[in-house]
Amino acid sequence: MRQVGYKAPMAQESGQDLFAQLAERGQDVIGRIAEMPGAQKLVENANQLKERVDDLSKKVRGLDALERRVASLEKKVDQLSKSAKPAARKTAAKPKPKPKS
């Protein structure tokens, strides 16, 4: 609130006037754009693009968790394959030959 007899500095008033003018012109421009023939389709496409980008960003955020899971599984597979190698080297027992009758 302004005090009686208080006058704001000129720069502050002109700055507020400038913002008021910009806001008014912005509203005018938005109104004019809305009246243009292709504007509704443009707004619809922009909204669809925003939704698609949101969906895509959610999916991309999920990739980090998948990469961590894959790395963990790869380590487990490596450990299992290293421990399985000595067991795989066992030689199979040869079948005994059949006695001749």
Side-chain angles (χ1 to χ4, degrees):
M1 282 196 214
R2 289 190 176 176
Q3 298 174 350
V4 177
Y6 173 76
K7 190 168 187 178
M10 191 61 128
Q12 188 177 6
E13 283 185 11
S14 66
Q16 289 175 349
D17 290 340
L18 178 64
F19 287 120
Q21 289 175 356
L22 286 173
E24 185 178 322
R25 293 207 182 176
Q27 290 173 353
D28 291 341
V29 169
I30 291 171
R32 288 181 190 165
I33 289 174
E35 294 172 1
M36 293 173 66
Q40 186 63 31
K41 186 69 174 171
L42 179 68
V43 170
E44 289 174 6
N45 288 339
N47 286 334
Q48 286 179 350
L49 179 63
K50 179 191 172 292
E51 291 173 7
R52 289 179 181 174
V53 168
D54 288 343
D55 291 342
L56 183 61
S57 67
K58 287 176 187 175
K59 290 178 182 178
V60 168
R61 277 186 246 131
L63 288 178
D64 291 336
L66 286 175
E67 287 178 351
R68 286 191 297 270
R69 288 178 60 194
V70 167
S72 173
L73 290 171
E74 286 176 342
K75 287 179 184 177
K76 288 179 183 177
V77 167
D78 286 342
Q79 290 173 351
L80 291 173
S81 65
K82 286 179 184 177
S83 66
K85 284 182 182 178
R89 290 183 183 175
K90 290 182 182 178
T91 57
K94 293 182 182 177
K96 293 181 181 178
K98 292 182 182 178
K100 292 183 181 179
S101 37

